């Protein structure tokens, strides 16, 4: 096989997901047509339908990839979090890392929430987003339970911290930077370390 016959470094599916991720995040789901995605991915339209049943399926795959991307940031932060308070704060730091990502057209807030706001009730993508948010709350609750020894109190505090984080992400998206997420991190540290 000659070098011109070698398969590309990335599959058509990966190129489509990468193109969709950039366009959905920058322009919104409704504002992004299939033609723009295949053009940016450099593939034929047939490739899109060979890899995804519909645009809705591509949206769901994008949201699942976005969740996986955040989990990787969280796991990286967690490797340096040795105490329960640090494990709670690792969640905030992972969101800050995502906010400081090198977005092509700037930071617009939580890509999952942005997408969910555009999707109709019952869309599979909304379930992906809800699953992510519930997992984040559970990731907060686990070290809080260890810290407090009280599962009910830990669940209540985890919910408060999740709401704080969501509000900070929305505001950060409006402002176009991670300052609000950093402030939420500091508030969370005070809440976790409160007597």
């Amino acid at each position: 096989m000659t070098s011109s016959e070698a398969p590309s470094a990335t599959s058509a599916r990966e190129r489509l997901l990468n193109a969709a991720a950039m366009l959905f995040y920058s322009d919104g789901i409704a504002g992004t047509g299939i033609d723009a995605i295949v053009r940016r991915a450099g593939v034929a339209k047939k490739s899109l339908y060979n890899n995804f049943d519909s645009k809705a399926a591509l949206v769901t795959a994008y949201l699942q990839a976005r969740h996986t991307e955040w989990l990787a940031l969280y796991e990286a932060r967690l490797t340096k979090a040795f105490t329960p308070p640090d494990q709670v704060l690792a969640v905030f730091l992972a969101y800050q890392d995502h906010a400081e990502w090198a977005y092509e057209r700037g930071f617009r807030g939580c890509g999952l929430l942005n997408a969910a706001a555009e999707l109709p009730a019952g869309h599979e993508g909304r379930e992906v987003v809800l699953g992510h948010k519930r997992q984040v709350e559970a990731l907060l609750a686990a070290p809080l339970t260890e810290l407090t020894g009280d599962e009910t109190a830990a669940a209540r505090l985890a919910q408060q911290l999740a709401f704080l984080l969501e509000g900070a992400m929305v505001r950060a998206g409006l402002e176009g930077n991670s300052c609000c997420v950093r402030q939420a991190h500091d508030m969370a540290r005070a809440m976790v370390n409160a007597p």
Side-chain angles (χ1 to χ4, degrees), residues 56-162:
L58 177 60
V59 168
T60 299
Y62 155 69
L63 294 171
Q64 290 166 335
R66 189 106 182 151
H67 170 68
T68 301
E69 185 178 88
W70 181 84
L71 279 176
L73 293 172
Y74 169 70
E75 291 294 332
R77 285 295 187 166
L78 198 56
T79 63
K80 300 171 189 156
F82 304 110
T83 66
D86 288 342
Q87 292 162 2
V88 168
L89 296 175
V91 172
F92 284 79
L93 291 170
Y95 268 89
Q96 183 179 324
D97 292 342
H98 225 191
E100 293 173 355
W101 205 273
Y103 295 103
E104 188 172 281
R105 296 188 202 158
F107 177 63
R108 295 187 57 243
C110 176
L112 294 171
L113 286 180
N114 293 348
E118 290 191 64
L119 299 175
H123 190 287
E124 184 180 353
R126 289 180 66 89
E127 289 303 313
V128 173
V129 175
L130 182 58
H132 169 79
K133 300 305 179 180
R134 285 179 174 157
Q135 184 174 3
V136 167
E137 198 168 313
L139 292 172
L140 290 165
L144 289 170
T145 299
E146 184 180 337
L147 184 67
T148 65
D150 181 342
E151 199 170 300
T152 302
R156 188 172 42 254
L157 182 53
Q159 185 179 52
Q160 291 169 351
L161 291 171

Side-chain angles (χ1 to χ4, degrees), residues 20 22-37 39 55 59 105 108 114 118-119:
M22 197 293 292
L23 293 170
F24 289 159
Y25 187 76
S26 295
D27 301 334
I29 292 168
T32 301
I34 294 297
D35 290 338
I37 295 167
R39 186 172 41 254
K55 182 179 177 183
V59 168
R105 296 188 202 158
R108 295 187 57 243
N114 293 348
E118 290 191 64
L119 299 175

